[in-house]
Each structure stands twice: as C-alpha cells, then as structure tokens.
Amino acid sequence: MWISTHWKDYELIDCSRGEKLERWGRQVLVRPDPQAIWNTPRTHPGWKRPDGRYARSSSGGGAWEKKDLPERWTVQYRDLTFHIKPMNFKHTGLFPEQAANWDWAREQIRRAGRPVNVLNLFAYTGGATVACAAAGASVCHVDAAKGMVSWARENARSSGLEEAPIRWIVDDCTKFVEREIRRGRRYDAVIMDPPSYGRGPTGEVWRLEDNLYPFVELVSRVLSERPVFVLLNSYTTGLAPSVLTYIMETLLSSRFGGHTESQELGLPVTQSGLILPCGATGRWTAGQ
C-alpha cells in the first residue's frame, strides 16, 4: 500500500460507522466514507463538534451542515498550495491520498534528466498538474468541467506556478486524446483519474468497467517514443489493483518494455494507528 505520510495541513483523525473525521488546516470535517464499515468508539471530541459535516439524506444525496466553516480556505502540501471548498456530494476539491502519487510523479520527472511533457486527464482541480509543473515538467491539464479547470488554475497561481508551461483545456478527455493523435502531438507521461461513472457532453455513458481498457489503449497511442511514466487511478471498489497491472502490462509493457506496479492508496488514521484504504493506483515506468 502507498500511504501519504507527509501531510501537515491534513490529518485523518478517525473513521468509524461509514464516516471519517478529518482536519483540513484548522477546519475539522466529518464526511461519509463507504470503506469505514467498522463500528469503533468515537472518542475524539471532533465527532461531536466538527466545523462542518456532510450528512447523507435517506432519499439520496445529502447536504453540508456548517457552523463557522468558511466558504473556502487553503492548505499546503510541501511547496504546493491548494484551495479547499466544501462542495456537493461531500467533496472538498482535493483527494489527500493522492499526495503519494504526486511525490512519485515528481521523482520520475526529476530522474528523467530531460524535458518531460505530461498529459493529465480527468485532471479535476489540478493536484497532479501543479505537482508535475513544480518538478519542471510542461503539463497539459484536461477536464470536461470548466469550473474545475478554473479551480486548478487558482491552485497553480497560489503555488507560484502561474507562469509555468501549463495548457488548460476544457474538453471531453476521450475526444481530446483522439484529436491529439490526429495532430501528431505526443506526451512523455500520462496521468489518468477517470470516474467510476459519468455522462459525456452528448449523453454517452461512461462506466469504468466497460470503458477503462479501450481508453487506456487509446491513450497509449498518444505516448512519445520514449515515454517516462503512466499513472492510472481507480476509485471503483470492485476493481483490484492487480486489474490495473494487467491492463497496463498488456497495453504498455508489451509495447515499450518497462514495468507496472499497482497498490492501494491509503491514509494513516491518527486515533487507531491503522490505514484507511482510498482506492487503487497503477504505475508504469519505462525503466532505465
């Protein structure tokens, strides 16, 4: 398991009964988490007096219960600054477990010893984008939601990367990759964080189990002749990390050589000393 252990502005305090108690900077939040199925004692006082709680509705969905919670604030991870804002469907605009992948990607870029051009697909609010740019890479950031791309630009600006070589693209990721292939544009590294389920701009349905393999096959065609790495995330609980290894070995190692390793991502829980699983990641590297 790859564990994000270097946070100072984020802490997973506790988790129990389908919820997690977190500290984001100075703000303490309670949010749902389907992995926390255990019924352990909630002894930390933050459970009773959080600054905000996302409460699920019996009819579906849910809403934030806020007390003195600001509309937005910032947290830092190493030399990066991110804007946090409680949104619909429990999200805050950042997945802290991805810090382990940010660190890994930065290390691959540094080790390459040459300019690296990164394509970040389903790039959300740009955690991986700013991490790669901070390591010296040029980045193409693609997400279908205009608001998320604007948020990512704010994160880049707050991290001192306003002038970094980042292309900001609002587009459907599949259609964008298809166009890049036709244009002959190639990338040395690709990061993919596809949703479990979604709908495209013309109503087409995306299901990870059905679409992931053909999507990775498509993306493999936009890689340069000497790719550095590919990173693939999955938050679909039914897919084991070994599934990501199989896909990437089949489509990438068979063509470029190299090696794939896949693991769960995790966050350390302060109260128990245990680890909360937070999805899976596959990492392909070209090797030396």
Side-chain angles (χ1 to χ4, degrees):
M1 182 179 282
W2 292 315
I3 305 168
S4 297
T5 58
H6 299 295
W7 277 102
K8 294 182 179 179
D9 275 5
Y10 174 83
E11 178 187 8
L12 178 52
I13 302 169
D14 196 10
C15 49
S16 175
R17 305 176 210 164
E19 292 182 310
K20 55 190 174 186
L21 177 68
E22 308 166 292
R23 178 180 60 82
W24 295 81
R26 297 182 179 179
Q27 311 302 322
V28 175
L29 306 181
V30 174
R31 296 192 295 154
D33 194 298
Q35 299 278 23
I37 63 173
W38 39 86
N39 185 0
T40 50
R42 296 184 174 190
T43 58
H44 193 280
W47 284 113
K48 295 182 179 179
R49 297 186 298 276
D51 297 297
R53 178 190 294 269
Y54 186 88
R56 289 216 183 270
S57 169
S58 58
S59 58
W64 282 97
E65 299 170 355
K66 305 176 185 178
K67 296 181 180 177
D68 299 322
L69 193 67
E71 182 178 343
R72 58 188 299 166
W73 65 97
T74 60
V75 298
Q76 284 191 292
Y77 181 75
R78 295 187 163 177
D79 56 340
L80 308 176
T81 300
F82 299 105
H83 292 263
I84 302 302
K85 179 181 178 181
M87 302 187 304
N88 294 336
F89 194 62
K90 77 179 182 179
H91 294 311
T92 63
L94 198 67
F95 294 96
E97 65 273 10
Q98 287 294 330
N101 281 332
W102 305 337
D103 291 342
W104 179 83
R106 292 178 75 158
E107 182 62 23
Q108 304 310 307
I109 292 165
R110 293 191 186 101
R111 285 183 180 178
R114 59 182 170 94
V116 176
N117 189 14
V118 179
L119 175 61
N120 188 11
L121 299 168
F122 308 99
Y124 196 48
T125 60
T129 294
V130 297
C132 292
S138 57
V139 185
C140 181
H141 174 110
V142 186
D143 197 280
K146 183 178 180 180
M148 294 299 104
V149 176
S150 296
W151 193 335
R153 296 187 74 150
E154 290 181 10
N155 287 334
R157 185 164 49 248
S158 297
S159 298
L161 297 165
E162 187 172 7
E163 302 301 322
I166 304 173
R167 295 170 61 207
W168 304 102
I169 307 294
V170 179
D171 202 351
D172 175 82
C173 288
T174 298
K175 290 180 171 55
F176 177 79
V177 171
E178 290 171 343
R179 284 196 294 271
E180 292 291 86
I181 293 170
R182 292 196 296 269
R183 293 169 184 142
R185 189 170 286 149
R186 299 294 181 262
Y187 296 87
D188 305 304
V190 179
I191 298 170
M192 294 171 274
D193 202 350
S196 297
Y197 178 85
R199 287 189 178 273
T202 58
E204 60 270 30
V205 175
W206 167 281
R207 288 186 180 88
L208 193 69
E209 298 91 333
D210 299 331
N211 296 98
L212 185 59
Y213 186 86
F215 183 75
V216 177
E217 191 280 329
L218 178 70
V219 167
S220 71
R221 292 157 53 194
V222 83
L223 287 168
S224 65
E225 293 182 0
R226 291 198 304 147
V228 176
F229 72 86
V230 174
L231 192 152
L232 175 60
N233 290 307
S234 171
Y235 283 90
T236 299
T237 56
L239 294 184
S242 55
V243 172
L244 305 183
T245 295
Y246 203 104
I247 291 173
M248 298 172 83
E249 284 290 294
T250 302
L251 294 174
L252 302 177
S253 296
S254 62
R255 176 180 171 190
F256 298 104
H259 173 70
T260 305
E261 185 177 0
S262 300
Q263 298 279 353
E264 285 184 297
L265 294 178
L267 288 168
V269 182
T270 303
Q271 286 289 98
S272 65
L274 300 173
I275 305 297
L276 178 69
C278 304
T281 288
R283 299 171 176 175
W284 174 86
T285 51
Q288 301 301 320

